[in-house]
Structure formats: structure tokens, C-alpha cells
Amino acid sequence: GTKVGMGISLLTTMRLSDVANLTRENIQDGYLRKVISKSEQRRGEIRAARLQWKLEQHPQLAELIERGLITAPPGCRFIVHERPKVRKLGKTKEHAHQMLPRRLSDRFNEARDAAGVGGENPPTFHEIRSLGSFLLAQQERRSRTSSR
């Protein structure tokens, strides 16, 4: 679950909450489609930002999603999931195997620390995702400018 969630976030630059809430329903007609939750909260459902990736053009992303779907326990519709030691639901947890954003962040921190990366002020999942999003936007701006 952690590898799938981290990989999807790094490839799409989606926020933890959007990645953690991806379900089978987000896969439609060969696309990963997602209404961005932060945008939906600010603008409402109709005006919210919508992202999509054609999976045949993004094989790494397609592979991660497929891995998440294949390994999902029966009845779990979430692409990012884990087998918890204690099965419990809550206000934000629909299925016992659903991996919540905080858990995904904690698992990232554990993996980062185990790899010995970061020193005194190690980067958070959010910082890495945010930097990736910023760099992608810069690259897109450069591409538009050079094509004029």
C-alpha cells in the first residue's frame, strides 16, 4: 500500500488525501480521473479542478494502480490499502483496509528514516510532492514559452 501510494503521488503530484481516497471508481475508460478535494472544498463540485491521466500513456502509473487493485482485499474499493493489525472504522475510514493520508505519511517517514535519508531536518512527503508539482509546472511553462 505504501509503495503504491507514494508512487502514485510522485507520478501525479496529487496530495496525500487525494491519493488515499482513490478507488476503483476513479478508473474509467482507460483513464485515472480525479476531482481534486482541495479544489472541490474551495470551489464546489461543479467548478472543482479535475485531473486525468490516460493510463496507456503512463505505464508506471498504470502498473501501480493495477498492483493496488490486484492486492485489494475482498470488498475494499481503495487502490491504496494495507492490512491493519486491528480492524476498525472511523469517521473518515470507510473500510478496515483503507490507508488514511496520515498513515501514508507516517509510513513514508518510516521508510525515509530506515533509508537514512534527510539528516537533521528530513523532508516530509508533502514537501517532496509539493516540490515535484512546482518543478512540473515550471517545465510546462518552459515548454509553452519555447514552442511560441
Side-chain angles (χ1 to χ4, degrees), residues 5 19 23 61 78 80 82 87 93 124:
V19 171
T23 66
L61 179 59
F78 293 92
V80 180
E82 68 176 346
R87 292 180 182 214
K93 193 167 184 177
T124 65

Side-chain angles (χ1 to χ4, degrees), residues 63-118:
E63 184 181 319
L64 287 165
I65 290 168
E66 185 67 21
R67 188 180 325 156
L69 293 172
I70 288 172
T71 60
C76 182
R77 63 191 193 98
F78 293 92
I79 294 170
V80 180
H81 51 80
E82 68 176 346
R83 296 196 186 275
K85 292 178 184 172
V86 178
R87 292 180 182 214
K88 62 181 182 177
L89 301 177
K91 291 179 183 176
T92 58
K93 193 167 184 177
E94 295 177 32
H95 191 276
H97 293 260
Q98 178 185 359
M99 186 181 285
L100 296 177
R102 181 72 215 169
R103 179 70 176 148
L104 184 54
S105 178
D106 290 345
R107 295 292 302 251
F108 168 79
N109 292 342
E110 292 167 9
R112 179 203 61 217
D113 294 346
V117 177

Side-chain angles (χ1 to χ4, degrees), residues 15-77:
R15 290 176 175 81
L16 282 170
S17 59
D18 289 318
V19 171
N21 287 309
L22 286 174
T23 66
R24 295 175 185 279
E25 291 79 26
N26 292 110
I27 310 303
Q28 301 166 357
D29 304 320
Y31 286 85
L32 169 62
R33 295 190 165 115
K34 181 68 178 141
V35 176
I36 301 304
S37 60
K38 190 172 184 178
S39 175
E40 186 174 24
Q41 290 167 359
R42 290 182 176 175
R43 298 179 183 173
E45 186 178 351
I46 294 172
R47 295 182 24 213
R50 288 167 164 68
L51 300 176
Q52 70 177 15
W53 293 264
K54 189 171 186 175
L55 294 175
E56 71 180 25
Q57 294 175 351
H58 300 278
Q60 286 180 305
L61 179 59
E63 184 181 319
L64 287 165
I65 290 168
E66 185 67 21
R67 188 180 325 156
L69 293 172
I70 288 172
T71 60
C76 182
R77 63 191 193 98

